[in-house]
Amino acid sequence: MKDKLFAFFEPLWQFIDNGSFYREPFRWLYVAIAVLNLLFPLVAIFGAIGSGVFEYIPGKVIFALILIFILMIALGIMSFVLWINRQKKLKELLCEDNEFVAIPMVSHFIQTVGEWLGFYIGLFGCVASLLFLLFGGSEMMNQLGGASLLPWGTGAVMIIMYPIIGFLIVVSGRLLAELYRAMASIANSAKRISNRVADAAPAESEAPAEASPAGEE
């Protein structure tokens, strides 16, 4: 009875051990984040229209707001493509002989978040700062809630600073991900070497026993 019970749950344990238990939820998470990036600009646009913000702001601010919405749509499409591209590469991260499977998944997720957040902040901050500067500066920021859109402020300097901040976010995410990946790679390599040594040890111990009859002759 106990053996049958163990055999019944054996496929579940194998599913956990071979990495699919970790890889598939992450793939669905990537797809969900990609879809949310497509929906976010649409939610922001319909929310602004529903709030009646276009009724009390001047024409140049409306034009700038439309350009910001177009920028958000472009960044949403870029983010969607990024997350879909990265989820396709998750399957390449795990091999059947990998002892450690969660670390590669987490490191890849950290790297992708860094790339997405860095590009989003860098591009959106740069272009939005330029639009705020061209179409009214602080007045436009107050009318559109620019302080929440650009938490580090706006101005000529921030047109350069936001791409730098985005680049540092991408590098930091990649560095942290590579540290985790290096630990997993070292651990998996050490495990494979240990297994090879263990497999080779019996063969070496049997070699003298086979050679002894030839020596007697």
Side-chain angles (χ1 to χ4, degrees):
M1 181 67 181
K2 185 183 294 186
D3 293 338
K4 292 182 179 180
L5 183 63
F6 287 153
F8 178 79
F9 287 105
E10 187 63 26
L12 175 61
W13 312 142
Q14 292 178 356
F15 177 75
I16 294 176
D17 291 337
N18 67 14
S20 298
F21 177 81
Y22 304 92
R23 182 176 58 243
E24 296 306 318
F26 268 99
R27 291 181 63 187
W28 285 107
L29 176 62
Y30 280 37
V31 172
I33 295 175
V35 173
L36 288 176
N37 274 279
L38 278 182
L39 295 178
F40 173 72
L42 300 178
V43 173
I45 292 171
F46 287 115
I49 295 174
S51 66
V53 67
F54 292 99
E55 298 177 1
Y56 60 86
I57 57 178
K60 65 177 183 179
V61 178
I62 293 177
F63 180 69
L65 186 59
I66 292 174
L67 292 179
I68 289 177
F69 285 151
I70 294 174
L71 173 63
M72 292 174 65
I73 292 173
L75 289 174
I77 295 173
M78 183 201 73
S79 301
F80 175 83
V81 173
L82 171 66
W83 283 98
I84 293 299
N85 176 267
R86 292 297 183 259
Q87 73 90 19
K88 291 179 180 178
K89 296 183 178 181
L90 284 176
K91 195 171 184 179
E92 303 173 4
L93 294 178
L94 296 182
C95 302
E96 294 183 357
D97 58 345
N98 282 0
E99 179 72 13
F100 301 91
V101 294
I103 292 178
M105 296 291 100
V106 175
S107 67
H108 189 270
F109 181 74
I110 292 173
Q111 176 184 332
T112 306
V113 169
E115 293 170 346
W116 165 68
L117 195 60
F119 279 111
Y120 209 103
I121 290 177
L123 292 175
F124 183 82
C126 176
V127 178
S129 296
L130 179 61
L131 293 175
F132 280 130
L133 186 64
L134 294 176
F135 293 96
S138 60
E139 178 186 355
M140 182 180 169
M141 283 194 68
N142 294 330
Q143 291 174 333
L144 298 182
S148 59
L149 291 174
L150 301 173
W152 290 293
T154 184
V157 176
M158 297 310 298
I159 296 175
I160 301 174
M161 289 303 299
Y162 275 111
I164 295 175
I165 293 172
F167 175 76
L168 293 177
I169 292 174
V170 173
V171 173
S172 299
R174 185 63 180 258
L175 175 63
L176 186 59
E178 287 185 355
L179 289 175
Y180 279 105
R181 201 172 300 149
M183 288 191 298
S185 178
I186 293 171
N188 285 323
S189 298
K191 181 67 175 179
R192 284 192 289 267
I193 293 172
S194 177
N195 291 337
R196 290 173 184 172
V197 172
D199 294 339
E204 293 178 357
S205 62
E206 293 173 1
E210 296 176 355
S212 58
E216 291 176 1
E217 292 178 1

